[in-house]
Amino acid sequence: MSVPLSEALKFWAKLGFISFGGPAGQIAVLHQELVEKRRWISERRFLHALNYCMLLPGPEAQQLVTYIGWLMHRSWGGILAGTLFVLPSLLILIALSWIYLTFGQVPWIAAIFFGIKPAVVAIILHAAVRIGKRTLHNQVLKWIALVSFLAIFILNLAFPIIVLIAAAIGYWGGKRYPEYFQQTGSHGNSKADHYGSAIIDDNTPTPLHAQFNLQKTIKHSAIAFSFWLLPTAGLIVIFGWKTLYPQIAWFFTKAALLTFGGAYAVLPYVYQGAVDHFHWLSANQMIDGLALGETTPGPLIMVVAFVGYLAGHIQHLIGNSNPFWFGVLGACVATWFTFLPSFFFILVGGPLIESTHGKLGFTAPLTAITAAVVGVIANLGLFFAYHVFLPSGLGASISWISIVICVLAGLALFKYQKGVITVLGGSAFAGLLAYLAAVLMG
């Protein structure tokens, strides 16, 4: 039994439009849809792929989608799944970026953003709880999660350092105390058993295309490099090396390769380069772009499309009747070079990871990393909560309306098990109501 490619593509396309809530929310949606409902992949195989994607630089949710698509339907399945996950948010952000520059700050749009931000806080915390429930099987893993949370919350320790420490603990613990680092925990039956058998189950043999082959690895590496080299060379020939678009290509290539920990680790690097070094946009514009990225579907790192669009549009405002297409080119260049390495890591590295399936020497460090990531996601939720509930910082007034919206969103998620789209829609409506009430009272 297998899933037809056409059915899979319909789901990946739908996912691109409903994947709100940043990487934590997206991974939770993926787990709910693929592991719990559709049973396309088992809990253990899902976590095995997730652990690998957590190690990589770049957006882990998009990489996980690409990995599962590749595992099910070969290279084209992975490419199409990963592309469909990104494409809707690229098109939406191009449209929103144009509206943002053309019409400025519209009050009712700001009100929608105001309502959605507290819901994002609730979605991230809900995802941390969901992932924690299925991965923190024993006290050792719970301690790793807690210490990771304290390390980043109090010591501001960099995410890659936390990953390395967790991996080292897992490697040592897997040899000394293997019962604590089994991916299904020490309680006999996996939670996956409650969901029934999956199409790609724990014991399903690795498909032929996913088995490691050195010749195929070299071939795929060469193809991936050509997809980087040819567009870069084309931009240099057309515009010149020291112009905007080759700079965007090189900058976002470095961002994709040098920053670990997903979108939230990439954002400070992008901010520093785009605002402080290249002056493509202002600090306030970057913050507005982040808000747009948080409230649109797809990976949060799609804020790079906003950065690329503004860079192209603003630089070509003078002397051009329609700078829109220069902005579109900037957005597409930024997106292409940000996500190209992600496809390379999955399509080339996937066979190596599949060969380690079920081997404790490899899975124990990744189990520890997953536990650490739960703590990091929890910290992220609190970080967002601070900025949403105290928009002007400590000592300033508290946004009680934001707290109420967050609590209601949390109730909808935790108690009533409402979907992400429903929660975001209700929160946006609450933001609009708050704006209308302020207008009527003022």
Side-chain angles (χ1 to χ4, degrees):
M1 181 182 176
S2 62
V3 180
L5 179 59
S6 58
E7 183 184 340
L9 291 181
K10 286 178 184 176
F11 172 72
W12 300 130
K14 172 190 170 187
L15 184 68
F17 286 99
I18 66 168
S19 53
F20 291 87
Q26 289 154 7
I27 290 167
V29 169
L30 273 172
H31 182 271
Q32 188 177 39
E33 288 287 339
L34 300 185
V35 177
E36 298 175 27
K37 289 184 180 178
R38 299 171 187 266
R39 298 302 295 145
W40 286 1
I41 189 168
S42 71
E43 172 95 0
R44 187 184 293 184
R45 296 292 278 266
F46 180 89
L47 289 177
H48 187 73
L50 173 61
N51 287 334
Y52 172 56
C53 296
M54 289 290 188
L55 277 176
L56 299 173
E60 59 267 32
Q62 186 266 348
Q63 289 163 343
L64 182 60
V65 166
T66 305
Y67 191 107
I68 296 172
W70 162 78
L71 197 58
M72 293 173 61
H73 296 111
R74 309 172 68 88
S75 296
W76 273 112
I79 291 168
L80 291 171
T83 301
L84 288 172
F85 187 67
V86 170
L87 194 58
S89 56
L90 171 62
L91 298 176
I92 291 168
L93 273 171
I94 286 174
L96 290 176
S97 300
W98 176 76
I99 292 169
Y100 174 80
L101 285 180
T102 306
F103 299 105
Q105 295 298 315
V106 180
W108 66 267
I109 293 178
I112 289 175
F113 287 167
F114 176 82
I116 286 176
K117 285 178 183 177
V120 171
V121 173
I123 289 166
I124 291 174
L125 293 175
H126 180 249
V129 171
R130 282 178 61 87
I131 295 172
K133 280 183 177 179
R134 71 171 185 268
T135 56
L136 305 181
H137 305 294
N138 55 62
Q139 286 301 120
V140 171
L141 296 178
K142 289 176 183 177
W143 274 107
I144 291 174
L146 177 61
V147 171
S148 299
F149 169 80
L150 295 174
I152 197 167
F153 183 76
I154 297 175
L155 303 178
N156 200 25
L157 204 61
F159 184 82
I161 295 174
I162 293 174
V163 167
L164 289 173
I165 293 171
I169 292 171
Y171 180 78
W172 174 81
K175 290 182 177 297
R176 293 292 299 272
Y177 307 101
E179 67 274 14
Y180 291 109
F181 293 90
Q182 299 281 356
Q183 283 191 333
T184 54
S186 56
H187 301 293
N189 291 332
S190 167
K191 278 189 179 183
D193 294 341
H194 297 297
Y195 304 131
S197 60
I199 293 170
I200 301 176
D201 218 339
D202 291 353
N203 300 316
T204 302
T206 302
L208 188 63
H209 72 270
Q211 294 175 10
F212 178 73
N213 180 291
L214 181 59
Q215 187 177 5
K216 192 163 64 174
T217 299
I218 295 171
K219 176 186 172 183
H220 285 174
S221 299
I223 292 171
F225 181 68
S226 69
F227 275 105
W228 178 86
L229 183 63
L230 293 176
T232 303
L235 291 171
I236 293 171
V237 169
I238 294 170
F239 298 102
W241 168 241
K242 291 189 176 180
T243 57
L244 174 66
Y245 298 108
Q247 285 181 339
I248 290 176
W250 180 235
F251 174 72
F252 285 109
T253 297
K254 290 188 292 182
L257 291 173
L258 301 179
T259 46
F260 292 81
Y264 300 108
V266 179
L267 287 173
Y269 179 83
V270 172
Y271 178 93
Q272 189 179 31
V275 176
D276 296 337
H277 181 70
F278 290 109
H279 307 293
W280 289 334
L281 67 170
S282 69
N284 283 332
Q285 286 172 332
M286 184 69 192
I287 294 169
D288 291 335
L290 181 56
L292 287 173
E294 288 171 2
T295 53
T296 51
L300 178 58
I301 195 56
M302 280 306 299
V303 70
V304 302
F306 177 85
V307 173
Y309 182 91
L310 260 65
H313 186 116
I314 292 171
Q315 192 166 112
H316 294 88
L317 271 174
I318 301 172
N320 291 283
S321 59
N322 190 359
F324 170 77
W325 294 110
F326 292 100
V328 171
L329 178 59
C332 292
V333 170
T335 303
W336 177 273
F337 288 95
T338 297
F339 285 93
L340 183 62
S342 293
F343 288 100
F344 167 76
F345 288 133
I346 299 304
L347 300 180
V348 174
L352 285 170
I353 300 307
E354 279 300 301
S355 68
T356 66
H357 174 64
K359 295 180 181 178
L360 185 63
F362 182 84
T363 59
L366 296 183
T367 299
I369 289 170
T370 303
V373 166
V374 173
V376 173
I377 293 173
N379 171 74
L380 182 67
L382 292 181
F383 175 81
F384 271 111
Y386 171 79
H387 286 279
V388 171
F389 301 154
L390 296 165
S392 301
L394 286 172
S397 59
I398 298 171
S399 176
W400 291 106
I401 297 175
S402 296
I403 292 175
V404 170
I405 293 174
C406 183
V407 169
L408 293 174
L411 280 172
L413 289 164
F414 283 97
K415 186 174 181 181
Y416 298 104
Q417 274 123 37
K418 296 295 182 182
V420 170
I421 293 288
T422 303
V423 171
L424 284 170
S427 300
F429 183 67
L432 278 173
L433 287 179
Y435 165 68
L436 291 173
V439 169
L440 292 172
M441 290 173 64

